[in-house]
Amino acid sequence: MSLPHAILTALLERPSSGLELTRRFDRSIGYFWSATHQQIYRELGKLEQGGLIEAVPQPPSRGQRKEYRVLPDGRAELVRWVAEGQDPKPVRDPLLLRLRAAAVVGTAGLDVELQRHLAEHRRQLEEYLEIEQRDFPADGSGGGDRLHHLVLKAGIALETFWVQWLAEAVGELAGVPAADEAAGPGQPGIAG
Amino acid sequence: MSLPHAILTALLERPSSGLELTRRFDRSIGYFWSATHQQIYRELGKLEQGGLIEAVPQPPSRGQRKEYRVLPDGRAELVRWVAEGQDPKPVRDPLLLRLRAAAVVGTAGLDVELQRHLAEHRRQLEEYLEIEQRDFPADGSGGGDRLHHLVLKAGIALETFWVQWLAEAVGELAGVPAADEAAGPGQPGIAG
DNA sequence: TGTAACATGTAACTAGTTACATGATTAC
DNA sequence: GTAATCATGTAACTAGTTACATGTTACA
């Protein structure tokens, strides 16, 4: 259950309205935990009801901006959650699944997809590198938080992995015929 | 919607009963698309109803083993899905979120978690490397599918990333006081 | 005949997605 | 005054998780 904690973190960094949060979830926090505005408004309601956040007093009506800030209980909950025992979540990626499927039914059409993904990951990597140059310049003058930098470096390393792996995959695919029957059955893959 | 396609792939590789599929989703396919037995039985029902798979004729009763195989429509659906346009799914990782939260409320208790994750990723990496040695030995005698190897190499690279990054994170954390107030507000992180 | 392991399922809940509804403010 | 945009929300659906229920087979 990470969304409430993502919102608590965002609100501690800066008290915001629902729409502002939505915008911030399109970048920043959203780079590793995305959420739609519907999810965010619903969760804000729950958090307020639970006494973890409060709306800055204002005439509450539809269409009217409502700014939230974190209450002591909210901060305490976040502190608790940071130290909580959580197993690493296993990889869950449809693209890897598609490669596995392609090994059985043929790779027709997959090359286009791989190239599209490659371009997208290159773009994302560029974006992260620009952020790093801006917020964490080599001369140490940026003043950015070390933990923030650590998180950003994870993003950079992950995108770098995808770019390299996809480039290899594109090459590999070029050498494999896109027949409808690439491999017969009984050829067990990862651990059969 | 990847689960039905994961099941179709698994059944094409080898016709199986629900429980066998469940076991295979604990390793193999499950390394990049996990599923519980409840999900699997529900999905098998839907796929059968949709005419994509069929149960090998048998007296159908509870507690009685039921083996499924893929029908032509099921294979066609999988072929279609392999070439389908799907955007890369953005990273969604609670651990990165927790680091971000720790930058605001302090890192107390996080080091233990990082070390636990590090150990788990080391174990998983070992497992993948053993599978690689077994199924894809350097002398090319393994006969494993090139696409399967590609998928495995993605798993290896991802685990390698985590091991390296977590090791750096543990070191970084050792140099940061686990105070309840590590950083004041107004210090924007990734893209603020 | 009891019990462990095999095997299939139901029910209830939680999280996330998609489509749509409605009011307020600003710029023309 | 009306169109665009800001802002908050509802409803319905899909996917995934957790807890539990029930029948079958082997075997001590």
Side-chain angles (χ1 to χ4, degrees):
Chain A
M1 229 184 31
S2 301
L3 180 59
H5 303 98
I7 291 178
L8 286 172
T9 302
L11 286 181
L12 278 172
E13 288 175 351
R14 179 168 66 252
S16 304
S17 67
L19 192 64
E20 271 171 359
L21 276 179
T22 302
R23 301 239 190 284
R24 292 171 64 194
F25 270 82
D26 283 341
R27 38 184 179 83
S28 190
I29 297 253
Y31 285 137
F32 43 93
W33 204 271
S34 62
T36 61
H37 83 271
Q38 291 89 339
Q39 267 181 288
I40 288 169
Y41 283 116
R42 202 196 312 172
E43 202 62 47
L44 282 171
K46 283 190 207 167
L47 287 169
E48 189 179 18
Q49 202 135 24
L52 301 188
I53 64 174
E54 65 172 0
V56 182
Q58 270 211 19
S61 86
R62 209 161 172 135
Q64 200 71 36
R65 199 189 134 84
K66 225 160 80 183
E67 181 143 320
Y68 291 94
R69 66 181 155 218
V70 178
L71 293 172
D73 278 3
R75 173 178 281 261
E77 165 57 24
L78 199 58
V79 167
R80 190 199 61 72
W81 181 75
V82 164
E84 192 183 76
Q86 289 175 211
D87 286 335
K89 52 121 229 188
V91 175
R92 209 134 195 280
D93 194 294
L95 189 63
L96 296 178
L97 203 52
R98 288 207 276 176
L99 246 78
R100 176 81 175 231
V104 186
V105 299
T107 61
L110 192 56
D111 48 346
V112 180
E113 275 295 282
L114 291 180
Q115 246 136 16
R116 212 167 54 80
H117 281 232
L118 178 54
E120 175 57 28
H121 283 293
R122 282 205 172 111
R123 194 203 56 70
Q124 186 66 66
L125 177 56
E126 272 311 305
E127 191 177 333
Y128 285 164
L129 288 173
E130 277 166 28
I131 293 170
E132 188 179 38
Q133 278 180 13
R134 189 193 68 199
D135 292 352
F136 308 97
D139 61 11
S141 69
D145 187 281
R146 281 197 288 174
L147 290 175
H148 283 171
H149 194 189
L150 205 51
V151 171
L152 179 57
K153 281 193 274 188
I156 290 171
L158 280 169
E159 295 302 328
T160 302
F161 151 70
W162 280 114
V163 167
Q164 287 174 351
W165 181 82
L166 281 165
E168 183 185 350
V170 165
E172 187 77 34
L173 220 63
V176 172
D180 264 22
E181 291 288 342
Q187 199 84 281
I190 295 184
Chain B
M1 226 184 30
S2 301
L3 179 59
H5 302 98
I7 290 178
L8 287 172
T9 303
L11 286 181
L12 278 171
E13 288 176 352
R14 179 168 68 252
S16 303
S17 67
L19 193 63
E20 271 171 0
L21 277 178
T22 302
R23 302 241 189 282
R24 291 170 66 195
F25 271 81
D26 282 342
R27 39 183 179 83
S28 192
I29 297 254
Y31 286 138
F32 43 94
W33 203 270
S34 62
T36 62
H37 83 271
Q38 292 89 339
Q39 267 182 290
I40 288 169
Y41 283 116
R42 203 196 313 172
E43 202 62 46
L44 282 171
K46 283 190 207 167
L47 287 169
E48 189 178 20
Q49 202 135 24
L52 301 189
I53 64 175
E54 65 171 1
V56 182
Q58 271 212 17
S61 86
R62 209 160 173 136
Q64 200 72 35
R65 199 188 134 85
K66 224 160 79 183
E67 180 143 321
Y68 291 95
R69 65 182 157 218
V70 177
L71 293 171
D73 277 5
R75 174 178 281 263
E77 166 57 22
L78 198 57
V79 167
R80 189 199 63 71
W81 181 74
V82 164
E84 194 184 76
Q86 289 173 209
D87 286 335
K89 51 121 233 186
V91 176
R92 208 136 197 279
D93 195 293
L95 189 62
L96 296 178
L97 203 54
R98 287 206 278 176
L99 246 77
R100 177 81 175 232
V104 186
V105 299
T107 60
L110 191 56
D111 47 346
V112 179
E113 275 295 281
L114 292 179
Q115 246 136 15
R116 211 167 55 80
H117 282 231
L118 177 54
E120 175 58 25
H121 284 292
R122 281 205 173 114
R123 194 203 55 72
Q124 186 66 65
L125 177 56
E126 273 311 305
E127 191 177 334
Y128 286 164
L129 288 174
E130 276 166 26
I131 292 169
E132 188 179 38
Q133 279 180 13
R134 190 193 66 198
D135 292 351
F136 309 96
D139 61 10
S141 68
D145 187 282
R146 280 199 288 175
L147 290 176
H148 282 171
H149 194 190
L150 204 51
V151 172
L152 179 57
K153 281 193 275 189
I156 290 171
L158 280 169
E159 295 302 328
T160 302
F161 150 70
W162 279 113
V163 167
Q164 286 174 352
W165 181 82
L166 281 165
E168 183 186 348
V170 165
E172 187 77 34
L173 221 64
V176 172
D180 263 23
E181 291 287 341
Q187 199 86 280
I190 294 184

